[in-house]
Amino acid sequence: MTLDLSTIIKAYDVRGTVPDQLSPGVAEAIGAAFARVVVLPEHAGADRPAVVVGNDMRDSGPELVEAFARGIAAAGVDVLRIGLCSTDGLYYASGSLGLPGAMFTASHNPAAYNGIKLCRAGARPVGQETGLAQVRELAQTYLDGGLPQPAGEPGTVTDRALLADYAAFLRGLVDLSGVRPLKVVVDAGNGMGGHTVPAVLGTAAGLPALPLDVVPLYFELDGTFPNHEANPLEPKNLVDLQRAVVEHGADLGLAFDGDADRCFVVDETGRPVSPSAITALVGLREVGKELAAGRTPTVIHNLITSRAVPDLLQAAGATTVRTRVGHSFIKAQMAEHRAVFGGEHSAHYYFRDFFFADTGMLAAMHVLAALGEQAHPLSALAEMYEPYVASGEINSRVPDVAAARERVLDAYRAAYPDIALDELDGATVSHWDGHPQWWFNLRASNTEPLLRLNVEAADEDIMVKVRDDVLSLVRAEGGEPA
């Protein structure tokens, strides 16, 4: 019995355990389908069709890339392998070369996993509604009935190094050469940050030295993640970075996830700076450049980010667009509005000047520039962008998601007749125009019987009260923390 690909090809990418779910045979079938669904129909011009492929540090990567390349090449499509890279390094390759791409990574998932992030030429996303469903269906037919006949002229497979080009491109977007000297601790979590940080912030790619003293933590590439999970969204995975920042007297700390497309920041005291604050900080820098050039900028943010983000950006003269959670939605809105920047509460940051794609490294460079261009510590700088108090995301496992959701909404409609309710993504209940000021969002998981709660308020006491009241309603009939 063949694998049901719907178990590993979800809304945004491919993700499964190796080799029982994501095997070389599965990778080859996906490659064959990707070539026919995305690459060949889009191809135009004199050049041969081609795909750029990269992989992270997981041991299973090279074998899966080789199999995927076989499926691509058999369709008459050339394959350009760039080897070890971060996900944003693959997006750079896709954008700069104008080629569709495939990145083999499972991001922050445990060592047993691998996956594939697919994109169209120019780093445009391939998601459930933009081709991934068709790739899955066609790959399933190949798994069930056999691969198609090879093209008359198979594609070639060649290798090319792009790390130095990627580093130089980022250096051209944010000039760090004139900042005051900064000491920065970087926790790569044994992921791809250990490969890219020395090239971009150091001299490993042959670029001039910057006024940065980089203290490395876990730069050794190791897909078994021997020190901690490469998922900085979990507070336990920031502990080593926080300790090292204080011990070294550093100005700040940076933590990257496994494929280094997300970046988390801690200040000189070891306190995490919220991704919403980073969204506001970086957004204001990008907005300032646009306004100086006489353009009215647009910035995208998802509905979980702090109300401080639209408040500050609109006050600065930007138009803000609120969107659903998820990178495919953000990227679609970035392209539609030609937005200069976009940010998410999960520490994904998107840039028009980076092919509308997400890059944690570029966001980190903006933070370093903002800090190094003035004399105050990061804690003081970040305070400007964090005027409100947030709960962070809290998950509850419930026996009946719909019933728990309605229980909460019924209670708040009765208690606050003037509340605002929207259902762009889950249910957002807002009392922001009243007193006291608060809002919360309650979203269901797509894959588990979970409700995800995010609360923000003007002060700590109100946030705690709303958080606890909503959780008591969510968990009233058999629910529990997840």
Side-chain angles (χ1 to χ4, degrees), residues 363-413:
M365 294 172 73
H366 273 286
V367 173
L368 290 166
L371 179 59
E373 290 167 358
Q374 50 85 65
H376 298 292
L378 183 55
S379 58
L381 190 62
E383 192 173 322
M384 299 166 52
Y385 308 107
E386 295 185 283
Y388 310 129
V389 181
S391 66
E393 192 154 271
I394 305 168
N395 290 324
S396 299
R397 190 175 303 278
V398 294
D400 188 331
V401 168
R405 178 183 183 278
E406 286 309 306
R407 195 160 54 242
V408 173
L409 297 185
D410 287 346
Y412 275 85
R413 287 189 189 104

Side-chain angles (χ1 to χ4, degrees), residues 282-371:
V282 178
L284 287 170
R285 287 176 56 84
E286 293 285 49
V287 163
K289 289 191 301 183
E290 290 294 286
L291 292 172
R295 296 185 290 266
T296 300
T298 297
V299 175
I300 310 295
H301 65 95
N302 76 21
L303 54 78
I304 305 300
T305 53
S306 169
R307 288 296 173 95
V309 171
D311 288 354
L312 290 167
L313 292 169
Q314 289 172 20
T319 297
T320 62
V321 176
R322 179 173 174 267
T323 185
R324 296 176 61 184
V325 173
H327 74 89
S328 63
F329 303 115
I330 289 270
K331 286 180 177 176
Q333 292 292 305
M334 287 284 295
E336 178 181 339
H337 294 277
R338 304 290 298 174
V340 68
F341 177 67
E344 291 199 89
H345 71 297
S346 56
H348 281 282
Y349 304 106
Y350 307 78
F351 295 83
R352 182 196 62 200
D353 294 342
F354 196 76
F355 317 105
F356 298 106
D358 44 326
T359 163
M361 185 66 73
L362 185 53
M365 294 172 73
H366 273 286
V367 173
L368 290 166
L371 179 59

Side-chain angles (χ1 to χ4, degrees), residues 74-146:
V77 176
D78 293 342
V79 179
L80 183 65
R81 294 186 304 200
I82 61 172
L84 285 169
C85 65
S86 58
T87 289
D88 66 326
L90 186 280
Y91 292 152
Y92 164 76
S94 173
S96 63
L97 299 174
L99 297 177
M103 175 67 189
F104 279 76
T105 180
S107 187
H108 61 274
N109 283 100
Y113 285 79
N114 212 324
I116 317 171
K117 295 181 179 180
L118 300 170
C119 64
R120 296 175 183 270
R124 291 176 294 134
V126 174
Q128 182 71 18
E129 298 177 359
T130 51
L132 191 57
Q134 292 91 332
V135 169
R136 182 184 66 228
E137 291 166 7
L138 187 55
Q140 188 73 63
T141 67
Y142 294 159
L143 280 182
D144 295 341

Side-chain angles (χ1 to χ4, degrees), residues 17-43:
T17 53
V18 178
D20 55 314
Q21 291 182 315
L22 185 52
S23 65
V26 169
E28 185 173 2
I30 294 172
F34 182 58
R36 290 166 175 83
V37 171
V38 173
V39 182
L40 291 172
E42 278 202 348
H43 177 66

Side-chain angles (χ1 to χ4, degrees), residues 9-67:
I9 302 181
K10 303 294 187 180
Y12 310 126
D13 59 17
V14 182
R15 200 75 61 94
T17 53
V18 178
D20 55 314
Q21 291 182 315
L22 185 52
S23 65
V26 169
E28 185 173 2
I30 294 172
F34 182 58
R36 290 166 175 83
V37 171
V38 173
V39 182
L40 291 172
E42 278 202 348
H43 177 66
D47 295 335
R48 286 171 55 83
V51 173
V52 60
V53 184
N55 60 275
D56 70 12
M57 64 290 146
R58 294 167 189 268
D59 289 343
S60 58
E63 183 181 23
L64 293 173
V65 166
E66 182 180 357

Side-chain angles (χ1 to χ4, degrees), residues 407-478:
R407 195 160 54 242
V408 173
L409 297 185
D410 287 346
Y412 275 85
R413 287 189 189 104
Y416 298 93
D418 59 339
I419 60 165
L421 170 66
D422 81 60
E423 298 183 78
L424 174 64
D425 191 354
T428 300
V429 176
S430 178
H431 197 256
W432 204 253
D433 294 332
H435 182 79
Q437 289 181 300
W438 53 263
W439 65 269
F440 68 84
N441 175 269
L442 201 59
R443 292 163 37 247
S445 165
N446 290 324
T447 57
E448 300 178 84
L450 298 179
L451 277 173
R452 310 188 193 282
L453 173 67
N454 284 269
V455 182
E456 185 174 53
D459 63 58
E460 179 84 19
D461 290 344
I462 297 301
M463 186 280 290
V464 169
K465 174 173 171 46
V466 174
R467 179 197 68 194
D468 292 350
D469 287 350
V470 175
L471 286 176
S472 68
L473 289 164
V474 168
R475 299 170 182 173
E477 297 182 9

